[in-house]
Amino acid sequence: MQITASALSLNVDDVAASAAFVEQHFGFRQEMAADGFVSLSRDGVGFNLIYLRTGLPSIQPDRLRGQRAEGLIVAFVVDDVDAEYARVRAAGVPITTPLQTEPWGERFFQVTDPNGVILQLVQWMPAPAEAG
């Protein structure tokens, strides 16, 4: 199998609001759009971020039509999470989970888009040296 592209599709109530949020704050740009649908890309991300309006008849399988993008986190690995944290705070983006570092070296923070989709920016830090 040869995979030529990839995408993440999320069902949301207000497609335009989520699209505008990632365009304004995370540098995505629209590649395609129609009523209830938008596909966005960003150089270096490796996948398109697609928003579908909840309830569209084209959403398959049928049981997912009424579902919303809840319970998942869209994570972006960045080079300098501290700088990104400062940037989004300065832009007035509400922070869902403040900047923190997990014991295994994951330094991250989270924001939530207008439809409740959680976006996490993360940087993998070197593990602290054990005292010996």
Side-chain angles (χ1 to χ4, degrees), residues 11-88:
N11 297 350
V12 297
D13 292 331
D14 186 345
V15 168
S18 284
F21 186 82
V22 296
E23 286 175 301
Q24 179 180 358
H25 299 296
F26 297 101
F28 279 79
R29 65 185 173 285
Q30 286 190 26
E31 284 197 350
M32 294 182 282
D35 182 37
F37 162 83
V38 65
S39 177
L40 302 113
S41 66
R42 186 178 192 286
D43 292 340
V45 170
F47 65 88
N48 279 29
L49 188 55
I50 296 174
Y51 294 105
L52 301 169
R53 187 176 60 240
T54 305
L56 280 179
S58 60
I59 295 175
Q60 297 294 323
D62 296 347
R63 64 182 171 78
L64 295 181
R65 283 193 191 131
Q67 302 286 326
R68 287 173 179 76
E70 295 174 355
L72 75 100
I73 297 170
V74 179
F76 301 119
V77 178
V78 297
D79 291 334
D80 187 345
V81 73
D82 293 271
E84 293 302 324
Y85 185 71
R87 180 186 66 78
V88 298

Side-chain angles (χ1 to χ4, degrees), residues 67 110 117 126:
Q67 302 286 326
Q110 297 173 329
V117 176

